[in-house]
Amino acid sequence: MSCPQLILHLPYSPPFNCYQLFFYLSWLQNACHKGSYGYQKLKEREPRACIRFKCALTNTILDILRRRPGWVEVKEEGEWDFYWCDVCWLRENFDHTYMDEHVRICHFRNHYELTRKNYIVKNLKRFRKQIEREAGKLEATKCDFFPKTFEMPSEYHLFVEEFRKNPGITWIMKPVARSQGKGIFLFRKLKDVIDWRKVKQITCFILQDGVRTDDQKDETQVENYVAQCYIENPYLIGGRKFDLRVYVLVMSYIPLKAWLYRDGFARFSNTRFTLSSIDDHYVHLTNVAVQKTAPDYDPEKGCKWMIQRFRQYLTAKHGAEVVETLFAEMDNIFIKSLQSVQKVIISDKHCFELYGYDILIDQELKPWLLEVNASPSLTASSQEDYELKCRLLKDTLHIVDMEGRLTGKEKRIGGFDLMWNDGPVSRAEGNVDTPVNGSFMANTHLGYNNDRKKQLKQLFKSLPTQQKVQC
Ligand SMILES: Nc1ncnc2c1ncn2[C@@H]1O[C@H](COP(=O)(O)OP(=O)(O)O)[C@@H](O)[C@H]1O
Ligand SMILES: [Mg+2]
């Protein structure tokens, strides 16, 4: 093993922080120990005739990968160039898998810094303090888009203090690492949390005292919760609560390079909103997984609105300027949340990630970030939903660019607009640029017309390497 080769194969780009160094050393140790990596020369990204892919999911993404010209599926233990893996695979294998220069996978190693409900709070709080120190109080208020949140049980006493300051308001308890509304409950009385704590302590005691299976061990370790201030005044349409699902693709953290998708949707609850029945999940949780079990759920109608329809509705009601402000505030949420983890996420060049943001809008038209998902559902709930996910995934693969067709200077690729490229990206014509003072317009088009086919045709026609393109 010679040093120059090792430097070429660093899994993370310098500069390191302590965290990255730790992961690098454990990666190195594992790789050497297992002997699982070779010593190929550093290759430039070059067009590849055939891309070998693996896929851990059996939904839309598998359809898209199978239909992509020049891509072949690899099953079981075969070598692969691209892996749409799940986070379990990542946890168990990433640290001792050597990846060639061109190889790509769909998660960052420690994505949970952004996507676990307790870690995102910790990172946002730290980032807010940093902004306050460096740029002042006013600037720091731009981070105030996350409802007040405490980790439980570790911040129980802080939570109780806060709870007593505002008696009567509603709180929501959410397990930090579950999804689809599982394990969530709302409460107004401290007694409910005390009961929850007791049950948890008893469960831990029984499990610790008896013989624990591995699953039980995991459960006692991961079942932390967050207690979060419940947004009691959600914006309602037709009397119903909804939240937005928006897609953000991150190609690199250092430098931060992030794309925003034009499509997304609003997910409505099936039952009219009221604060008088806080135990009714059909009223308060807008997850499709929850709503589709409602007795009066109509699968034909579904419970979604495309984000274009939502934007038009708001514009008709409140005017374009108000809507522009709301969407600009959402852009701020995407960027600030990514910046809050920029220094802790291991920015490995083999990794990219397609995040699903959950945003709730209140009656003052203020957007709140509820959570960021590392594995947003790619299962379709209707034909319209299937088509949206197909567009989203095709365009994601265009940007990942295993085929090596892009120049790297593109500001738009299909339905994705480059939102951040080590700094804000302007909407002005031309390639990646720096903002011009005064007339800066962000290059984001959430809820705009997604004329992606036309754009892709023009884009690929203009590129030097001509290959068969499926739009
Ligand atoms: N702080 C909150 N205020 C109001 N509604 C919330 C809040 N947090 C969550 N919800 C509702 O609960 C749903 C599930 O919460 P979320 O944090 O997205 O967890 P999950 O991982 O289970 O989807 C959201 O889609 C939203 O409808
Ligand atoms: Mg959610």
Side-chain angles (χ1 to χ4, degrees):
M1 185 193 307
S2 69
C3 285
Q5 274 167 326
L6 254 184
I7 289 161
L8 289 177
H9 288 92
L10 284 179
Y12 323 124
S13 353
F16 292 137
N17 60 32
C18 302
Y19 198 63
Q20 288 170 327
L21 192 61
F22 168 78
F23 270 95
Y24 171 62
L25 290 173
S26 70
W27 171 85
L28 190 62
Q29 192 184 18
N30 274 317
C32 292
H33 179 66
K34 305 238 172 193
S36 59
Y37 68 106
Y39 297 106
Q40 286 93 344
K41 272 197 203 131
L42 180 67
K43 283 181 224 139
E44 287 297 315
R45 294 205 77 189
E46 56 200 29
R48 310 188 75 80
C50 158
I51 290 136
R52 298 160 301 175
F53 75 88
K54 256 182 106 162
C55 184
L57 306 179
T58 51
N59 49 36
T60 330
I61 180 62
L62 185 58
D63 294 350
I64 293 301
L65 288 167
R66 281 183 175 161
R67 283 188 222 139
R68 202 164 172 90
W71 288 46
V72 279
E73 190 170 359
V74 173
K75 297 210 170 125
E76 319 276 300
E77 294 306 307
E79 275 192 38
W80 43 270
D81 306 302
F82 179 96
Y83 190 7
W84 198 281
C85 60
D86 53 26
V87 291
C88 300
W89 179 89
L90 191 79
R91 199 167 44 230
E92 284 157 23
N93 299 287
F94 185 90
D95 295 341
H96 42 87
T97 299
Y98 170 73
M99 285 180 256
D100 235 346
E101 179 71 13
H102 70 283
V103 168
R104 294 290 179 270
I105 60 169
C106 68
H107 293 291
F108 286 94
R109 171 65 182 89
N110 56 345
H111 64 86
Y112 46 78
E113 292 285 347
L114 181 68
T115 59
R116 211 170 274 178
K117 295 178 180 73
N118 50 345
Y119 291 162
I120 185 176
V121 187
K122 176 196 73 179
N123 286 314
L124 277 170
K125 282 182 185 168
R126 198 201 42 236
F127 186 59
R128 193 190 188 288
K129 275 189 198 146
Q130 183 195 328
I131 295 191
E132 190 169 336
R133 259 194 328 269
E134 291 170 3
K137 280 204 160 85
L138 189 64
E139 195 60 25
T141 58
K142 291 190 184 154
C143 291
D144 295 340
F145 49 75
F146 204 74
K148 199 162 265 177
T149 304
F150 298 91
E151 188 173 357
M152 305 285 259
S154 63
E155 294 185 327
Y156 177 74
H157 295 288
L158 282 176
F159 161 72
V160 172
E161 221 174 274
E162 185 64 32
F163 183 92
R164 295 214 162 108
K165 273 192 220 157
N166 303 289
I169 67 165
T170 314
W171 291 81
I172 183 166
M173 283 281 272
K174 311 194 261 190
V176 297
R178 284 208 255 173
S179 59
Q180 302 187 321
K182 286 180 198 138
I184 295 183
F185 64 94
L186 274 64
F187 66 95
R188 288 202 190 108
K189 295 190 202 108
L190 207 49
K191 186 179 167 301
D192 294 341
V193 183
I194 295 169
D195 289 349
W196 167 84
R197 235 185 141 198
K198 271 191 206 142
V199 171
K200 225 181 122 50
Q201 275 165 353
I202 293 167
T203 319
C204 286
F205 179 75
I206 294 169
L207 293 175
Q208 275 159 17
D209 222 33
V211 181
R212 285 187 294 177
T213 65
D214 278 352
D215 281 356
Q216 285 169 332
K217 229 187 267 170
D218 272 356
E219 195 140 303
T220 53
Q221 280 163 10
V222 298
E223 247 337 55
N224 285 340
Y225 271 63
V226 289
Q228 186 171 81
C229 197
Y230 187 71
I231 309 297
E232 290 183 331
N233 62 336
Y235 190 94
L236 304 177
I237 297 181
R240 284 161 176 82
K241 174 179 171 174
F242 62 90
D243 73 345
L244 301 178
R245 166 56 55 89
V246 181
Y247 297 98
V248 172
L249 174 66
V250 174
M251 294 304 295
S252 139
Y253 272 94
I254 297 180
L256 182 60
K257 189 162 185 182
W259 300 77
L260 177 66
Y261 207 61
R262 294 182 171 210
D263 296 346
F265 45 85
R267 295 174 297 193
F268 284 85
S269 71
N270 214 39
T271 317
R272 291 178 79 84
F273 185 74
T274 166
L275 276 171
S276 57
S277 56
I278 61 170
D279 295 328
D280 189 344
H281 283 188
Y282 297 130
V283 174
H284 298 283
L285 310 189
T286 51
N287 304 75
V288 176
V290 171
Q291 295 300 326
K292 71 179 183 198
T293 66
D296 51 349
Y297 177 76
D298 177 357
E300 290 289 301
K301 245 173 84 201
C303 54
K304 289 180 180 172
W305 266 20
M306 290 299 114
I307 209 152
Q308 283 79 1
R309 183 175 173 191
F310 169 69
R311 193 169 179 144
Q312 276 162 13
Y313 174 91
L314 281 191
T315 308
K317 240 182 139 157
H318 302 280
E321 209 176 309
V322 171
V323 176
E324 281 293 335
T325 308
L326 167 66
F327 278 69
E329 282 177 31
M330 285 200 260
D331 294 346
N332 173 63
I333 293 181
F334 308 134
I335 296 306
K336 290 278 187 306
S337 56
L338 295 175
Q339 286 177 326
S340 79
V341 294
Q342 209 189 341
K343 291 196 179 129
V344 283
I345 296 251
I346 298 154
S347 189
D348 187 321
K349 63 189 170 205
H350 299 105
C351 306
F352 68 93
E353 200 143 22
L354 179 64
Y355 295 110
Y357 274 73
D358 288 355
I359 308 270
L360 187 89
I361 292 159
D362 71 15
Q363 282 166 19
E364 316 286 315
L365 286 178
K366 174 182 166 69
W368 295 90
L369 175 60
L370 299 183
E371 65 156 346
V372 184
N373 292 277
S375 310
S377 169
L378 298 178
T379 307
S381 58
S382 66
Q383 184 58 28
E384 192 180 35
D385 198 36
Y386 182 75
E387 283 162 17
L388 183 159
K389 281 164 184 166
C390 287
R391 292 194 291 274
L392 169 76
L393 292 168
K394 280 181 191 172
D395 293 348
T396 300
L397 297 180
H398 289 327
I399 293 180
V400 173
D401 192 30
M402 294 299 293
E403 294 89 349
R405 293 176 292 198
L406 302 178
T407 63
K409 291 187 175 159
E410 295 77 8
K411 286 207 310 196
R412 180 177 173 197
I413 295 174
F416 276 109
D417 298 292
L418 184 60
M419 163 169 64
W420 197 266
N421 188 25
D422 205 14
V425 179
S426 120
R427 201 177 285 189
E429 282 298 309
N431 283 337
V432 174
D433 52 9
T434 44
V436 185
N437 276 344
S439 63
F440 186 80
M441 281 273 279
N443 186 40
T444 52
H445 299 77
L446 181 59
Y448 276 56
N449 178 24
N450 186 3
D451 55 343
R452 55 180 286 283
K453 276 197 172 180
K454 193 172 137 211
Q455 195 272 340
L456 284 170
K457 271 205 185 104
Q458 278 170 359
L459 171 71
F460 285 113
K461 224 163 71 190
S462 70
L463 292 173
T465 324
Q466 294 285 332
Q467 280 186 37
K468 198 175 163 206
V469 183
Q470 193 196 48
C471 304

